[in-house]
């Protein structure tokens, strides 16, 4: 039996209220989500031996949102042991809730690419085996198909 490789990019969502469940998750998980388009590409390609997981965490504003949401993206420390790193993004009403579907899709794509850039900025000078160029290329390729889809998520 062949081992199925997992995508190097995964998403975690912290939802500020119950009503957000219908708003944000369909853009990163499920049919027609960005994850739907990236998973087949990113799970078939190796991007080196030193990055197993780039976790993108979205903190989505809602009724129960804490006051200490990050005002800018926050990059965690790289774990040599687990070969992973995390980038936190705040998802505000202005950036996501109050815009159209096209802008929401672009937000997901742009934050994913921004996370790759941030990680490369932190780890690029180290002698790690990570192919950021091909990772970025593959995410952009998936983004082209994702952004061409009809507006049916909102």
């Amino acid at each position: 039996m062949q081992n199925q490789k997992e995508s190097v990019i995964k998403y975690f969502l912290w939802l500020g209220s119950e009503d957000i469940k219908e708003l944000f998750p369909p853009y990163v998980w499920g049919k027609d989500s960005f994850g739907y388009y990236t998973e087949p590409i990113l799970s078939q390609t190796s991007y080196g031996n030193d990055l197993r997981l780039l976790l993108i965490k979205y903190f989505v504003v809602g009724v129960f949102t804490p006051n200490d949401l990050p005002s800018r993206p926050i990059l965690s420390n790289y774990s040599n042991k687990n070969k992973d790193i995390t980038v936190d993004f705040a998802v505000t009403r202005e950036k996501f809730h109050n815009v159209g579907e096209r802008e929401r899709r672009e937000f997901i794509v742009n934050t994913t690419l921004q996370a790759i850039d941030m990680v490369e900025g932190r780890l690029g000078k180290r002698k790690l085996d990570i192919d950021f160029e091909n990772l970025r290329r593959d995410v952009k390729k998936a983004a082209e198909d994702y952004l061409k889809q009809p507006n049916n998520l909102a």
Side-chain angles (χ1 to χ4, degrees):
M1 190 159 116
Q2 191 173 3
N3 242 355
Q4 179 69 14
K5 186 175 175 278
E6 289 199 20
S7 174
V8 69
I9 296 177
K10 295 284 185 185
Y11 298 97
F12 170 86
L13 308 181
W14 182 93
L15 305 175
S17 57
E18 192 69 24
D19 60 326
I20 303 300
K21 268 203 251 184
E22 304 299 319
L23 177 67
F24 195 85
Y27 289 89
V28 292
W29 296 324
K31 189 177 183 311
D32 295 325
S33 69
F34 192 45
Y36 177 83
Y37 287 91
T38 59
E39 184 76 25
I41 296 170
L42 300 183
S43 63
Q44 292 178 16
T45 307
S46 174
Y47 300 100
N49 294 316
D50 289 325
L51 184 63
R52 288 193 192 128
L53 176 64
L54 166 51
L55 182 64
I56 299 173
K57 292 172 34 179
Y58 291 111
F59 293 86
V60 186
V61 167
V63 176
F64 304 109
T65 303
N67 293 331
D68 59 350
L69 280 179
S71 58
R72 58 183 173 73
I74 297 174
L75 183 62
S76 73
N77 289 325
Y78 172 74
S79 168
N80 287 318
K81 178 181 177 186
N82 297 321
K83 299 181 189 298
D84 66 7
I85 194 164
T86 302
V87 182
D88 296 350
F89 290 96
V91 181
T92 63
R93 295 186 197 310
E94 297 77 29
K95 293 178 186 174
F96 193 84
H97 303 48
N98 298 339
V99 299
E101 183 173 347
R102 174 71 182 195
E103 291 84 4
R104 290 175 179 175
R105 287 176 182 252
E106 289 172 348
F107 176 82
I108 301 300
V109 170
N110 291 337
T111 53
T112 300
L113 291 169
Q114 184 179 1
I116 294 168
D117 291 345
M118 290 175 70
V119 171
E120 183 178 24
R122 164 92 40 99
L123 302 179
K125 291 183 173 108
R126 294 169 73 178
K127 301 274 189 227
L128 298 174
D129 178 22
I130 305 171
D131 189 347
F132 289 107
E133 185 177 321
N134 282 329
L135 177 59
R136 190 177 296 104
R137 182 203 66 222
D138 288 347
V139 167
K140 286 179 178 179
K141 180 180 175 186
E144 285 178 26
D145 293 334
Y146 175 64
L147 293 171
K148 287 180 190 173
Q149 296 307 305
N151 293 341
N152 58 0
L153 292 176

